[in-house]
Amino acid sequence: MQIARARGVKVDALVSRGAQVAFAREHGADVVATERHAFQERNYDAVFDTFGAFVTEAVADGGRYASIATQAGPVPDLSSRDVRTTVHQVQEDGAGLNELTKLVDSGALQVRVHATFGLREIHAAHARFLQGRLAGKIAVVF
């Protein structure tokens, strides 16, 4: 969401918990909701799904639906509506990392870290991750 806003894109957000609404609004989302039906009639040019919510009805015909939520299963086939679907995986990308670094350094991207652990605390970091209800990422410092 922050990266899209930094690039001038109008962003709306579907969040999983009410506690995330304020964060999404503070970081530029115009419409924020916890229920997927709030976006059914929106007709977005593009939808980026980071959870596996498959809010496919929100993307306009001829639009684009991208997901990183492979644990939820394959993205539905939307070719009958001329919607291009893609699934993205993490891969090495020095140029992309450099762009992210510039966004963080400029303040356009705020990293959300819930807790930081040293490498010797890796078991504690994993245990905290498994507890859930995180307000950011678990960072392991090497």
Side-chain angles (χ1 to χ4, degrees):
M1 179 175 66
Q2 293 181 67
I3 295 168
R5 291 292 299 150
R7 292 180 173 174
V9 175
K10 181 183 178 296
V11 176
D12 292 343
L14 172 62
V15 297
S16 61
R17 302 188 312 264
Q20 298 168 327
V21 170
F23 178 86
R25 285 199 177 115
E26 289 168 11
H27 289 85
D30 294 315
V31 174
V32 182
T34 57
E35 298 294 329
R36 62 183 290 142
H37 65 79
F39 301 96
Q40 289 177 345
E41 303 294 325
R42 303 290 292 183
N43 281 330
Y44 293 99
D45 294 329
V47 171
F48 182 50
D49 184 356
T50 62
F51 180 70
F54 297 134
V55 189
T56 56
E57 64 277 4
V59 66
D61 291 353
R64 182 157 186 202
Y65 194 95
S67 178
I68 61 170
T70 57
Q71 80 286 353
V75 175
D77 180 8
L78 303 174
S79 60
S80 65
R81 296 178 39 216
D82 197 29
V83 173
R84 192 170 102 192
T85 59
T86 56
V87 176
H88 296 278
Q89 293 293 312
V90 175
Q91 59 187 5
E92 291 182 31
D93 181 1
L97 185 57
N98 187 46
E99 181 182 348
L100 288 175
T101 300
K102 289 177 183 176
L103 289 172
V104 171
D105 288 346
S106 73
L109 177 62
Q110 295 178 355
V111 179
R112 294 177 66 193
V113 177
H114 180 84
T116 302
F117 295 85
L119 185 57
R120 294 182 187 270
E121 302 170 292
I122 195 71
H123 293 291
H126 188 252
R128 179 60 194 97
F129 172 77
L130 291 176
Q131 289 175 5
R133 299 272 185 214
L134 302 175
K137 300 298 182 185
I138 298 293
V140 177
V141 179
F142 291 83

